[in-house]
Amino acid sequence: MKRRAFALAGMAGALSLFAGCSTTPVVTTTTTTTVPAGTADTPPPAPREFRAAWVSTVANIDWPSKPGLPAAQQQAEAIAILDRARSLNLNAIILQVRPSADAIYASKIEPWSEYLTGTMGQAPQPWYDPLKFWVREAHARGLELHAWFNPYRARHSGAKSVPSRDHISNANPSAVRTYGNFLWMDPADETASKQTLDVITDVVKRYDVDGVHLDDYFYPYPETDNGLNPSAPRTEVDFPDQVTWTRYLQGGGKLDRPSWRRQNVNRLIEAMYAAVHKEKPWVRVGISPFGIGRPDRRPPTISGFSQYDKLYADAETWLQNGWLDYLAPQLYWPVSQTAQAYDVLLDYWIAQNTRARHVWPGLFTSRIGAVPPARDYTPEEVVNQIALTHQRPGATGHIHFSMITLMENRKGISDQLLSVHYASPALVPATPWLGNGAPPVPAVAAKREQGGVKLRFA
């Protein structure tokens, strides 16, 4: 796996270390020293824990603070986020790069996102590539940068900009469905799935990202319609995929409709995992599904929404087939909420992890300070959830939703995390199934020059 021991911004094969002594003589000879393996002192064991936060760009939740900011202000806000992450001893940021079939980076496949400039298709001014900037600045601070994609959403209900001509809703309207106040790419449409796969592969190929990440939106969460009578019970509206369903049946398909929908999603997940690792074997693939497992497997005390039956997301199968490198189930409920208890759900996902992939639960840190007060978390809830995670060897990290809460230090949560759980840095856990060979011993050349010593690493 490709890993940085240190992030050195602007190093072009050489690092100059200056002693600050003006009387240091100039030495014209060069000494090359190769450090033999096994002769150095054994370093103390380093704690390994994935500590990350999601940075949402949709609706400008986390970054940028609003659309249309000058490039310099966007960059300053990004630096502030990365600096805060580093100061808290986090080691990764999961940045949303594709909110709604758009891009917060320079793409030839999809248009610039309106959340950057206020107008879909319009580039930041002055021009720069935000993803390239985020990757460079994250790595300069020793942070990983994972690129987060929404696989099927084509337009958010709160979008204000007119879709650009190259947006999928205009360029390929037959692949898009209107559902509620959203537009969705139909997971059964092969051109839609191919576009999502092409987008992800393009980012992995062109950017030095450390991970690829999908959220919990596959088929959309159900919309309801109570018809013309507002007092009538709400009824669920089915996703409008009759065209592709009929095409499947006419082609000889034998699955029932729910199983067919799950198959559509499964095909994308399997293909994505293979495509990412074909391009760069060290880039990890992560998925953050809804946190409650399928009804026929979940613990008897657990109840609630079924992503298996409503989002057609068979997360257990992805995990058990090894189609991901880390699972980040969104465990967005307090420990005391018996029907969705954090610790019981975490144990469930660990038990499903028969391939020993990483399990890094998502924490709803943004519930701290939530309105109404009945939904409010205390900081102690999050601190306790991390402590419970530490007690389980099968879970080696966690992710905060979202970064804005840590930036605002709501109710002192950032201070508490730093004093209780994040007092010292941690390394990201190893991913040996992607390659576990030790890096070769480096060759170091040292040359004394006026004012210092110049080191060159092979």
Side-chain angles (χ1 to χ4, degrees), residues 236-290:
E236 188 174 302
V237 178
D238 198 19
F239 183 71
D241 56 2
Q242 188 63 38
V243 171
T244 45
W245 170 240
T246 300
R247 185 187 307 155
Y248 169 75
L249 294 177
Q250 291 175 344
K254 302 299 183 184
L255 295 175
D256 59 44
R257 201 162 185 171
S259 299
W260 167 73
R261 286 172 172 171
R262 281 187 287 271
Q263 182 187 69
N264 295 329
V265 177
N266 287 350
R267 284 174 172 168
L268 175 68
I269 301 301
E270 183 179 15
M272 175 190 66
Y273 190 75
V276 168
H277 290 135
K278 181 180 180 181
E279 189 64 42
K280 290 180 180 176
W282 59 85
V283 173
R284 280 148 300 153
V285 174
I287 305 178
S288 177
F290 184 81

Side-chain angles (χ1 to χ4, degrees), residues 246-427:
T246 300
R247 185 187 307 155
Y248 169 75
L249 294 177
Q250 291 175 344
K254 302 299 183 184
L255 295 175
D256 59 44
R257 201 162 185 171
S259 299
W260 167 73
R261 286 172 172 171
R262 281 187 287 271
Q263 182 187 69
N264 295 329
V265 177
N266 287 350
R267 284 174 172 168
L268 175 68
I269 301 301
E270 183 179 15
M272 175 190 66
Y273 190 75
V276 168
H277 290 135
K278 181 180 180 181
E279 189 64 42
K280 290 180 180 176
W282 59 85
V283 173
R284 280 148 300 153
V285 174
I287 305 178
S288 177
F290 184 81
I292 299 177
R294 50 187 287 180
D296 60 338
R297 297 188 188 180
R298 65 179 61 159
T301 58
I302 297 297
S303 62
F305 181 81
S306 171
Q307 66 176 333
Y308 181 81
D309 296 303
K310 300 298 184 180
L311 307 183
Y312 307 99
D314 190 356
E316 288 87 349
T317 291
W318 310 336
L319 188 61
Q320 291 165 0
N321 284 348
W323 294 344
L324 46 75
D325 299 309
Y326 67 92
L327 186 80
Q330 296 177 15
L331 305 187
Y332 286 177
W333 305 276
V335 176
S336 61
Q337 191 166 316
T338 304
Q340 296 87 31
Y342 176 89
D343 50 344
V344 177
L345 288 170
L346 179 55
D347 288 338
Y348 169 80
W349 290 110
I350 292 172
Q352 300 298 309
N353 187 22
T354 56
R355 298 286 291 269
R357 297 316 202 213
H358 296 305
V359 175
W360 299 331
L363 314 179
F364 204 174
T365 309
S366 287
R367 279 188 68 171
I368 296 171
V371 178
R375 293 182 53 80
D376 188 11
Y377 267 10
T378 64
E380 289 72 23
E381 177 69 42
V382 173
V383 171
N384 184 35
Q385 289 180 357
I386 295 175
L388 289 170
T389 306
H390 287 166
Q391 295 171 12
R392 288 151 171 82
T396 56
H398 52 272
I399 308 171
H400 296 277
F401 186 85
S402 65
M403 191 64 196
I404 189 171
T405 307
L406 302 181
M407 295 296 291
E408 295 174 352
N409 193 20
R410 293 182 191 169
K411 298 186 178 181
I413 179 60
S414 298
D415 296 335
Q416 289 198 38
L417 289 172
L418 194 57
S419 64
V420 178
H421 293 308
Y422 299 165
S424 60
L427 297 176

